[in-house]
Amino acid sequence: MSKILIIEDEAAIRRVLVKILSEENNTYHVSEAEDGLVGIERIRKEDFDLVLCDIKMPKMDGVEVLEALKKIKPETPIVMISGHGDLDTAVNTMRLGAFDYISKPPDLNRLLNTVRIALDSKELVVENTRLKKKVSKKYEMIGESPAIIQIKDMIEKVAPTEARVLITGSNGTGKELVAHWLHEKSQRSKGSLVEVNCAAIPSELIESELFGHKKGSFTGASSDRAGKFEAANGGTIFLDEIGDMSLSAQAKVLRALQESRISRVGSDKDIKVDVRVIAATNKDLKKEISEGNFREDLYHRLAVILIKVPSLNDRRDDIPMLIEHFSKKIAEEQGTTIKDFSKKAIALLQEYDWTGNIRELRNVVERLIILSGPEVSEQDVKLFASK
């Protein structure tokens, strides 16, 4: 049952609204507040699915209630109730975040329709929030080793800033997870995180992929196309394996960082972009610089903050937690019960040389779950986890 709060100083109007909504198939639980101060106090103490609020009230008017609500419970929709002289104000409240407004005296159909739509919007907001949390859990960083705690602390400090970050580490260590955490904890989290695997794109196409192209600029360019930098405008672009990027593309990325402008392939028109850049590599970029494969000026632009992700061999204490995490995740994916690992099995896995890091561990855990008995034993590890 949806909970609705009516904030209205005129008792007659309150009675009409309560009667209309309370009789709507018993689907609404309606509460009342005689002025804005009382209404805000109730909002602080209770969760409502919708607020109907008069604009002109003593003590605290509707605009003040709206502003307070957006700070306290921003996900709660509010519909303003306006008198004939308040229409301009009512329209202005929508710019401030009100969902809609209804006029006095309230029209039955208009009121019920507005309430239904507003409540549907609240459900969408809640569902989107739930999905966002679900997505966030996908990129959860598992571990309590000193190295991982240090990275988490670094992310907490760096994420809210606009500083560029260069993430280094071997393949499979979790550089992508760090990039996602940096984005989700940043001021840009409502914007897009656009990922580009520089190693997976042919060198002749990387500039088009990053910056877009004009129709006819090269064979196969049959139409204008925006690039990844434009797609990430207002958000974050994650340049994974940037050490594999061509020198010509590096020059354009450098310009984008210096001037916040890009130009599509085949065009001399500048496009302004507002993008935070996070990069990652498994290469030693200083060595690449000395060999002429990477621009030193680009390196210094990217490496404002350096985060080195440790190998799994350097954080063996986290292996039991990672095994438990992967076991739960694999059971969810396959619709099976969670399989336990014996203490001896876990201890043996902690002794392995994990050249493939966390990615390799996840594969081994899945293999053991599929091939072993009710509990993964030390013998199962010896039989099925061979390198």
Side-chain angles (χ1 to χ4, degrees):
M1 182 176 286
S2 299
K3 292 177 65 178
I4 299 174
L5 175 65
I6 298 171
I7 307 174
E8 167 64 68
D9 64 314
E10 293 184 50
I13 297 292
R14 280 206 315 275
R15 281 197 298 272
V16 170
L17 293 171
V18 170
K19 186 174 188 300
I20 293 172
L21 295 173
S22 298
E23 292 176 354
E24 182 63 10
N25 299 324
N26 295 317
T27 55
Y28 305 139
H29 180 273
V30 186
S31 301
E32 303 174 54
E34 64 270 20
D35 61 53
L37 288 176
V38 174
I40 287 297
E41 190 58 33
R42 293 208 64 174
I43 289 167
R44 289 183 191 278
K45 293 178 180 178
E46 297 179 58
D47 287 327
F48 293 96
D49 298 299
L50 174 64
V51 174
L52 301 178
C53 182
D54 190 16
I55 291 178
K56 284 193 175 178
M57 294 183 293
K59 299 181 182 178
M60 187 179 197
D61 67 26
V63 176
E64 292 172 310
V65 171
L66 168 62
E67 290 172 342
L69 175 69
K70 288 302 169 185
K71 291 178 182 177
I72 303 166
K73 302 281 178 68
E75 72 285 356
T76 304
I78 180 169
V79 173
M80 309 309 293
I81 305 170
S82 67
H84 290 299
D86 303 329
L87 285 177
D88 288 342
T89 306
V91 172
N92 187 53
T93 60
M94 293 184 68
R95 296 193 190 99
L96 297 173
F99 181 81
D100 203 347
Y101 66 89
I102 55 175
S103 301
K104 295 180 183 179
D107 174 78
L108 174 63
N109 291 328
R110 161 87 166 136
L111 171 64
L112 292 177
N113 191 46
T114 300
V115 166
R116 277 194 289 267
I117 294 172
L119 288 171
D120 286 344
S121 79
K122 169 71 183 300
E123 289 182 12
L124 283 174
V125 169
V126 170
E127 178 65 10
N128 286 339
T129 302
R130 185 188 69 79
L131 288 172
K132 186 173 173 72
K133 287 180 178 176
K134 188 175 181 180
V135 171
S136 299
K137 198 170 181 181
K138 177 183 175 182
Y139 297 105
E140 189 177 1
M141 289 181 69
I142 305 298
E144 294 179 356
S145 62
I148 292 301
I149 289 173
Q150 186 176 7
I151 287 176
K152 290 179 180 179
D153 289 343
M154 177 77 82
I155 290 171
E156 293 294 332
K157 292 175 183 176
V158 174
T161 73
E162 288 292 298
R164 299 183 197 106
V165 181
L166 178 62
I167 308 164
T168 62
S170 302
N171 286 332
T173 51
K175 298 187 293 294
E176 181 188 7
L177 299 185
V178 175
H180 276 268
W181 266 48
L182 284 165
H183 174 71
E184 290 192 12
K185 290 177 176 290
S186 75
Q187 304 299 319
R188 295 172 175 264
S189 59
K190 291 182 180 178
S192 300
L193 172 63
V194 177
E195 300 181 57
V196 183
N197 187 331
C198 302
I201 303 169
S203 58
E204 63 271 17
L205 295 178
I206 186 71
E207 290 182 46
S208 170
E209 190 72 18
L210 291 173
F211 309 111
H213 60 251
K214 293 291 289 181
K215 179 181 178 180
S217 57
F218 56 86
T219 303
S222 56
S223 62
D224 289 359
R225 182 173 178 269
K228 300 295 189 183
F229 268 83
E230 287 179 74
N233 194 40
T236 305
I237 189 166
F238 174 44
L239 303 176
D240 198 8
E241 303 303 348
I242 196 168
D244 292 277
M245 183 181 288
S246 67
L247 286 169
S248 60
Q250 288 176 36
K252 283 199 170 186
V253 170
L254 178 63
R255 184 192 176 220
L257 298 183
Q258 289 173 329
E259 303 176 13
S260 297
R261 294 178 183 277
I262 57 108
S263 59
R264 294 182 180 179
V265 175
S267 171
D268 56 4
K269 181 183 177 183
D270 284 347
I271 301 170
K272 189 168 179 60
V273 289
D274 172 26
V275 176
R276 184 186 190 180
V277 176
I278 298 173
T281 183
N282 63 355
K283 292 187 174 182
D284 181 346
L285 289 189
K286 290 189 175 180
K287 182 182 177 184
E288 294 296 311
I289 290 168
S290 68
E291 294 176 355
N293 298 323
F294 201 84
R295 295 180 63 114
E296 186 173 10
D297 46 4
L298 177 58
Y299 172 80
H300 291 302
R301 287 279 178 179
L302 292 171
V304 177
I305 301 293
L306 278 167
I307 296 180
K308 180 173 175 56
V309 184
S311 68
L312 187 55
N313 289 340
D314 291 331
R315 46 178 294 213
R316 295 180 187 275
D317 290 347
D318 291 330
I319 288 177
M321 290 180 66
L322 287 164
I323 291 172
E324 182 182 3
H325 171 72
F326 290 139
S327 298
K328 289 178 181 177
K329 198 168 182 179
I330 291 164
E332 287 175 11
E333 291 171 0
Q334 299 182 354
T336 58
T337 56
I338 297 170
K339 205 172 268 191
D340 291 327
F341 282 62
S342 72
K343 289 182 179 180
K344 288 186 177 180
I346 293 172
L348 187 56
L349 288 170
Q350 283 182 286
E351 295 174 6
Y352 272 53
D353 179 23
W354 296 103
T355 54
N357 295 294
I358 296 172
R359 194 176 297 150
E360 182 186 10
L361 174 63
R362 203 250 190 228
N363 291 341
V364 169
V365 169
E366 184 169 11
R367 188 190 313 150
L368 288 167
I369 286 172
I370 293 169
L371 299 177
S372 66
E375 180 186 68
V376 179
S377 67
E378 180 183 19
Q379 188 61 28
D380 291 324
V381 172
K382 291 176 179 178
L383 283 172
F384 306 124
S386 57
K387 307 284 273 185

